Amino acid sequence: MKLLPVSCNKDCGAGCPLLAHVDDSGKIIKITDNPQGPPRSQGCIKGYNMHKALHAEDRIKTPLIRTGQRGSGQFREASWKEALDITAGMLEKIRDTYGPTSLLGMGGGGACRGVVHNTLFLPLRFFGLFGGFTLPSGSYSSAASSFVTAHTFGTRNVGLDPATLLNANLIILWGANISVTRFGCDLENYLQELKERGIPIVVIDPRKSRTVRKLATQWIPIYPGTDSAMMAAVLHVLLEERMIDRAFLEHYTNGFAELESYVCGVFDGIPKTPAWAAEICGTPQDTIRDLALRYGAAKPTALIPGLSIQRTLGGEEAYRMAFALQAATGNTGIPGGSSGGSVWGTMPRPRMPFPSFPSTSSQPSVPVCKWPDAILEGTEGGYPTDIKAIYSVGQNYLNQGSDIKKNIKAFEKVEYAICHEVIMTPTAQYCDVILPSTTFLEREDVIYSAGNHLFYSQKVVEPLYESRNDYDIFCELARRLGFYDEFSKNRSADEWLEFLLKASEVEDIEAFRLRGLYLGQDQNRVGLAEYINHPQANPLDTPSGKIELSAAASSVEGTRNHPACRITKPPPGYPLRLITPHAFARINSTEANRAWVQRLERKALWIHPDDAHKRGTADGDMVRISSPQGRMLTKAYVTGGIHTGVVCLPQGEWVRFNESGDEIGGSPNILTSTTPTLPSQGARTHSVFVEVTRA
Ligand SMILES: Nc1nc2c(c(=O)[nH]1)N[C@H]1C(S)=C(S)[C@@H](COP(=O)(O)OP(=O)(O)OC[C@H]3O[C@@H](n4cnc5c(=O)[nH]c(N)nc54)[C@H](O)[C@@H]3O)O[C@H]1N2
Ligand SMILES: Nc1nc2c(c(=O)[nH]1)N[C@H]1C(S)=C(S)[C@@H](COP(=O)(O)OP(=O)(O)OC[C@H]3O[C@@H](n4cnc5c(=O)[nH]c(N)nc54)[C@H](O)[C@@H]3O)O[C@H]1N2
Ligand SMILES: [Mo]
């Protein structure tokens, strides 16, 4: 039996340090935590099951070429030579006929975060050298928060190392479901420790999430998309009770006066009181007031937002209000406090370069959540290019992008669609060529984690079936297209890794390889601490050099510069607010089809007993969910664990239709819309309005 350090590198950014237990025949028996990982780190069910995915029967085993209609699922097996020749021919034809930017280069949102085997960076390198492409810009995850973070702080390094949370007196998880979404391999365990020490942990969430059940000392239900209103009301109480740190605001921020006037109702005659917010948020005013009083008294307080609160219409404002609250209470940049910004991968990581890619700034781009619109409408619709081909690496955007019907039309419109995949996803079904990829257990790599560390992931088995590394696939295509030398620099993937490790800050590479862990020097970093400690020496890269609480650039045209509450109410006919959170046992849609994942996830619509009763629906009934975009059938899960007026369907299930055109696979993106939140152009998958009826 051998024990080999590996690292899960799924898109929760946890990058968990794990150990593969390999028997004498080379078979992986199980995957457990690597005891040499960083303090309090722990993997989860996703990583522990990776060997099942590795050996799963339904892996794509050979290259496949489509034979039936797009979406029919009819393919024939092909040799690598044939598949690569066909793919290179398609790329060449597109480049010669329409120019390279008619290719939509979709590199995985982050399906794989390896240094070499990286589904985001490798495609950018390839498409850049190909001559250009149309870039889906921003991310589904965090477009709105990234946008306002940059304008407010002038840096994205606003996170923290979780060890610093041990100094906190109060934790507010605002729409953050850490026990599921992780945001690092150790954050959950630090929060657990705080709970054991008696530190209150408040979770604000429309539903009783796993985090509410495991970590919370208080659950505050709220209507989705209304967080900025509750935050404004909290600020109102803090102002009224003189619990504001005026000196801190004066010293470190610009623009608070405007926000204060807004909160007090100077502009619109509406003071943003708890009574005002109670109706908007569906949360009792006493609960809001009590939260504010405890918040004001309990310094240091760490407010940790989920990304959920910004994947809403007006989600930019929720983040801006959170920044303002933390500054107004003097909690920014101190141990035990936080900036109010995202803590996920928002601190520098150890120096470890990756194969570089040509700058994407000169490429035509479309906001990622509008990719199907860009294909369907093209230059006539005001988009920069007419897209003729899709190249997708490590993503399932037909399913994961909003408005699946539109996505299908977009895939049907292009001349060619190509993907690298591990399993036959709904997106792969719509491709002309599918090139089978390896999983991380089949390759050697270093994994970027969410914290100040790196993980080494040894190759445990040789690539199974005929699968190949994405890197090797690109090399073969680059050879056919005439830029192999530039793309590969004549290095194999393993030679790249060696080369990059030598350029990294890791000194003892062999020890790193054997232990699986490299710890950066400082594990107690708080974002913005340098600025807070020495503001003159370290001004922020903002117009005032300070935290810009009222930045013109982060407001919508025609509105004021300060954070404001932009709340969308359910429109007539669609009275329920649907949220589509991330599921526990899988990452996004990856492996949603697998039996062991299905057993762990309830495929059903969460609905409150009052809402179910109004609709004559009982637990387990089939219900029809309708939105302006589409309709679907699923089972009802009637539970007091969700706010009235809100329903919940976890994202990621694979789309399937019955003969009447109803979605029956459980994929909520049949209901979502590509109309983004502005000005960030971010996805708003937690602002979906629906009606539910008994089917
Ligand atoms: N297990 C697992 N982990 C993951 C992922 C996964 O698919 N599975 N995906 C990864 C990725 S790609 C990302 S981007 C992140 C996503 O991270 P998040 O966006 O933070 O995750 P969500 O699950 O969408 O939402 C977190 C919680 O917020 C609640 N919520 C929804 N809308 C609102 C709202 O308007 N206000 C408030 N207060 N709460 C709300 C949800 O009920 C949920 O419990 O997670 C990462 N981690
Ligand atoms: N309704 C709703 N929709 C959402 C969200 C939501 O909250 N609600 N969240 C959005 C968010 S935040 C995100 S990030 C997106 C995520 O959506 P996607 O980026 O599409 O992510 P996955 O669904 O995980 O798909 C990743 C694919 O990569 C494949 N893969 C894994 N490893 C490799 C590899 O090494 N090489 C290759 N070539 N392929 C590999 C997997 O098999 C899988 O099919 O979904 C978005 N969609
Ligand atoms: Mo994401």
Side-chain angles (χ1 to χ4, degrees):
M1 179 79 81
K2 275 189 300 192
L3 295 177
L4 300 177
V6 292
S7 168
C8 186
N9 67 351
K10 288 176 184 276
D11 193 15
C12 40
C16 290
L18 302 171
L19 275 185
H21 301 240
V22 188
D23 74 10
D24 297 337
S25 73
K27 193 167 182 280
I28 304 175
I29 305 301
K30 61 178 175 181
I31 294 182
T32 59
D33 286 314
N34 182 347
Q36 307 234 47
R40 294 177 184 76
S41 65
Q42 196 173 11
C44 84
I45 189 122
K46 305 196 291 310
Y48 302 153
N49 275 314
M50 266 313 293
H51 56 307
K52 291 194 196 160
L54 176 76
H55 295 291
E57 247 315 292
D58 61 353
R59 269 189 70 169
I60 299 174
K61 300 186 177 70
T62 68
L64 297 174
I65 312 289
R66 179 170 65 84
T67 52
Q69 276 209 320
R70 286 223 177 104
S72 65
Q74 288 163 2
F75 291 89
R76 67 174 171 84
E77 297 189 349
S79 68
W80 270 106
K81 180 173 181 316
E82 185 192 6
L84 290 164
D85 286 346
I86 291 176
T87 307
M90 288 173 169
L91 291 172
E92 211 154 27
K93 179 162 171 237
I94 287 289
R95 184 171 62 183
D96 294 348
T97 317
Y98 309 106
T101 57
S102 60
L103 179 79
L104 181 67
M106 290 191 185
C112 286
R113 297 166 171 272
V115 163
V116 175
H117 303 283
N118 188 303
T119 50
L120 182 60
F121 301 152
L122 276 181
L124 293 179
R125 183 173 172 89
F126 181 83
F127 301 137
L129 294 172
F130 172 67
F133 63 107
T134 296
L135 169 79
S137 64
S139 72
Y140 277 108
S141 314
S142 60
S145 62
S146 303
F147 182 87
V148 294
T149 301
H151 287 300
T152 306
F153 299 109
T155 169
R156 66 186 292 276
N157 298 333
V158 300
L160 47 79
D161 288 327
T164 61
L165 293 174
L166 295 177
N167 300 291
N169 280 321
L170 173 65
I171 302 284
I172 303 177
L173 299 179
W174 208 306
N177 186 12
I178 303 302
S179 297
V180 169
T181 57
R182 313 293 327 273
F183 293 176
C185 59
D186 46 2
L187 178 56
E188 183 183 7
N189 281 346
Y190 278 105
L191 292 171
Q192 181 68 41
E193 182 165 338
L194 284 166
K195 184 180 177 184
E196 282 157 18
R197 290 185 185 182
I199 300 297
I201 301 181
V202 179
V203 181
I204 301 165
D205 197 305
R207 67 185 181 129
K208 206 169 193 174
S209 65
R210 195 180 177 86
T211 302
V212 172
R213 284 181 273 125
K214 279 185 79 179
L215 294 174
T217 54
Q218 185 190 9
W219 171 40
I220 303 184
I222 186 172
Y223 289 146
T226 68
D227 301 280
S228 58
M230 191 186 285
M231 290 176 184
V234 167
L235 190 54
H236 192 276
V237 176
L238 294 172
L239 284 163
E240 236 179 21
E241 299 294 331
R242 295 176 190 283
M243 292 175 115
I244 295 289
D245 190 336
R246 295 274 174 194
F248 191 95
L249 285 169
E250 179 67 26
H251 217 66
Y252 298 112
T253 72
N254 186 35
F256 184 74
E258 280 178 70
L259 174 59
E260 181 172 359
S261 300
Y262 169 74
V263 167
C264 296
V266 172
F267 303 131
D268 55 6
I270 304 170
K272 311 300 175 296
T273 61
W276 165 84
E279 201 181 314
I280 296 172
C281 306
T283 311
Q285 55 171 310
D286 291 346
T287 306
I288 302 175
R289 195 179 155 73
D290 170 69
L291 170 66
L293 294 178
R294 286 198 289 145
Y295 186 2
K299 201 171 163 183
T301 293
L303 188 165
I304 299 176
L307 292 169
S308 62
I309 62 172
Q310 52 93 63
R311 278 206 309 290
T312 61
L313 284 165
E316 293 88 352
E317 308 294 349
Y319 260 65
R320 296 177 76 198
M321 279 297 179
F323 302 153
L325 278 176
Q326 283 298 81
T329 48
N331 278 304
T332 312
I334 61 168
S338 72
S339 67
S342 173
V343 301
W344 183 27
T346 45
M347 289 300 279
R349 49 192 185 201
R351 191 181 79 248
M352 176 78 223
F354 50 83
S356 62
F357 49 82
S359 163
T360 53
S361 60
S362 58
Q363 301 301 341
S365 68
V366 294
V368 64
C369 68
K370 303 278 278 183
W371 66 265
D373 303 270
I375 292 174
L376 293 170
E377 295 174 33
T379 47
E380 256 179 42
Y383 291 92
T385 52
D386 289 309
I387 293 163
K388 302 289 183 185
I390 298 175
Y391 199 114
S392 167
V393 183
Q395 56 192 196
N396 185 13
Y397 276 6
L398 182 133
N399 197 75
Q400 291 304 98
S402 296
D403 199 344
I404 289 183
K405 281 200 185 147
K406 202 186 259 186
N407 300 343
I408 290 176
K409 282 199 198 113
F411 263 85
E412 282 169 348
K413 188 180 170 197
V414 293
E415 286 183 26
Y416 301 125
I418 300 152
C419 75
H420 302 188
E421 247 306 344
V422 181
I423 24 180
M424 184 59 83
T425 63
T427 302
Q429 294 249 0
Y430 275 82
C431 288
D432 307 318
V433 185
I434 307 175
L435 304 172
S437 318
T438 51
T439 64
F440 70 81
L441 294 166
E442 296 154 281
R443 57 206 185 201
E444 194 96 355
D445 213 345
V446 170
I447 309 302
Y448 297 119
S449 81
N452 195 11
H453 25 63
L454 297 167
F455 300 121
Y456 199 100
S457 196
Q458 288 196 26
K459 182 194 216 176
V460 181
V461 295
E462 288 302 319
L464 286 177
Y465 314 112
E466 289 185 36
S467 67
R468 291 191 183 177
N469 297 328
D470 294 304
Y471 175 76
D472 297 317
I473 298 173
F474 278 132
C475 280
E476 284 307 315
L477 289 172
R479 202 190 295 280
R480 286 165 172 77
L481 293 164
F483 55 90
Y484 172 80
D485 289 351
E486 266 174 291
F487 180 78
S488 70
K489 300 280 180 201
N490 291 307
R491 293 185 189 112
S492 68
D494 286 350
E495 285 163 354
W496 264 110
L497 188 62
E498 205 185 312
F499 169 77
L500 296 166
L501 270 166
K502 282 188 185 140
S504 76
E505 70 175 66
V506 180
E507 276 169 14
D508 191 342
I509 294 171
E510 196 45 30
F512 176 38
R513 189 170 182 273
L514 293 176
R515 183 181 174 193
L517 172 71
Y518 171 79
L519 264 189
Q521 262 202 340
D522 189 355
Q523 296 292 320
N524 277 283
R525 302 165 308 164
V526 184
L528 305 172
E530 281 149 15
Y531 167 62
I532 298 299
N533 294 336
H534 305 287
Q536 264 75 40
N538 305 298
L540 295 178
D541 189 11
T542 59
S544 64
K546 296 182 173 189
I547 300 170
E548 292 284 357
L549 294 181
S550 293
S554 3
S555 58
V556 183
E557 226 171 286
T559 67
R560 291 177 185 272
N561 295 346
H562 56 73
C565 305
R566 284 188 280 132
I567 313 284
T568 308
K569 284 190 183 153
Y574 301 103
L576 296 169
R577 302 163 202 247
L578 171 72
I579 53 171
T580 61
H582 293 232
F584 164 66
R586 59 170 181 261
I587 188 82
N588 297 311
S589 72
T590 303
E591 298 173 293
N593 63 323
R594 298 240 156 98
W596 74 85
V597 177
Q598 297 260 337
R599 269 197 302 277
L600 291 162
E601 287 294 344
R602 187 196 305 266
K603 196 194 286 196
L605 181 79
W606 299 38
I607 183 166
H608 190 274
D610 293 354
D611 293 317
H613 182 74
K614 271 188 216 158
R615 290 163 178 78
T617 299
D619 191 51
D621 282 354
M622 281 307 273
V623 288
R624 180 185 306 280
I625 320 171
S626 330
S627 82
Q629 267 62 44
R631 55 180 210 268
M632 62 188 289
L633 292 171
T634 193
K635 270 192 190 154
Y637 164 47
V638 178
T639 167
I642 187 149
H643 203 344
T644 52
V646 186
V647 288
C648 165
L649 196 64
Q651 63 110 337
E653 293 284 356
W654 288 9
V655 63
R656 262 187 311 128
F657 294 98
N658 67 11
E659 279 163 9
S660 342
D662 285 306
E663 201 289 333
I664 52 167
S667 181
N669 282 322
I670 202 74
L671 305 168
T672 52
S673 158
T674 62
T675 305
T677 178
L678 295 172
S680 64
Q681 301 272 7
R684 27 63 66 111
T685 43
H686 288 306
S687 290
V688 187
F689 303 106
V690 299
E691 179 54 295
V692 174
T693 50
R694 207 175 141 191

